Amino acid sequence: MSPSQESIFPEYETETSQTSKLIKKFKETPFVPIGMGGFAAVVAYGLYKLKHRGDMKMSLHLIHMRVAAQGFAVGALTCGVLYSMFRDYVVKPKE
């Protein structure tokens, strides 16, 4: 960038590290990474149990795992929204 050009997004240029951006985002919305981690855990558990599902049909097993993974992700996002509303409307001092 030449010195004559002004920066459009100066706050993003000071934090060029992807890790620092990710940590900042996790602090703003802590339940999103929890939901992502839970989703990944349910998927990993489902893949592990795929071998030992007994006489259950594969389609039924996959449906159960999909519902569990989606439920965990939606639950974490709902908790995040409730946490954000609590932080903005209850904890934040009124102006």
Side-chain angles (χ1 to χ4, degrees):
M1 186 184 303
S2 67
S4 64
Q5 293 178 339
E6 286 188 30
S7 175
I8 298 172
F9 301 109
E11 65 273 2
Y12 290 115
E13 290 180 3
T14 58
E15 296 180 13
T16 57
S17 170
Q18 292 294 330
T19 307
S20 63
K21 288 181 187 178
L22 191 62
I23 290 171
K24 179 182 173 187
K25 195 60 151 172
F26 284 171
K27 286 181 181 178
E28 290 174 1
T29 55
F31 286 97
V32 172
I34 293 170
M36 290 168 46
F39 179 85
V42 168
V43 169
Y45 176 75
L47 289 175
Y48 174 74
K49 285 302 219 179
L50 188 62
K51 238 181 175 179
H52 309 288
R53 67 182 185 274
D55 60 348
M56 184 187 296
K57 290 184 179 181
M58 181 181 280
S59 63
L60 188 60
H61 175 75
L62 293 176
I63 288 171
H64 287 165
M65 290 298 108
R66 178 185 64 89
V67 168
Q70 283 180 333
F72 198 93
V74 169
L77 289 174
T78 303
C79 289
V81 167
L82 292 174
Y83 171 74
S84 176
M85 289 174 62
F86 176 76
R87 188 181 60 201
D88 289 345
Y89 295 113
V90 176
V91 177
K92 185 178 178 181
K94 296 182 180 183
E95 296 174 2

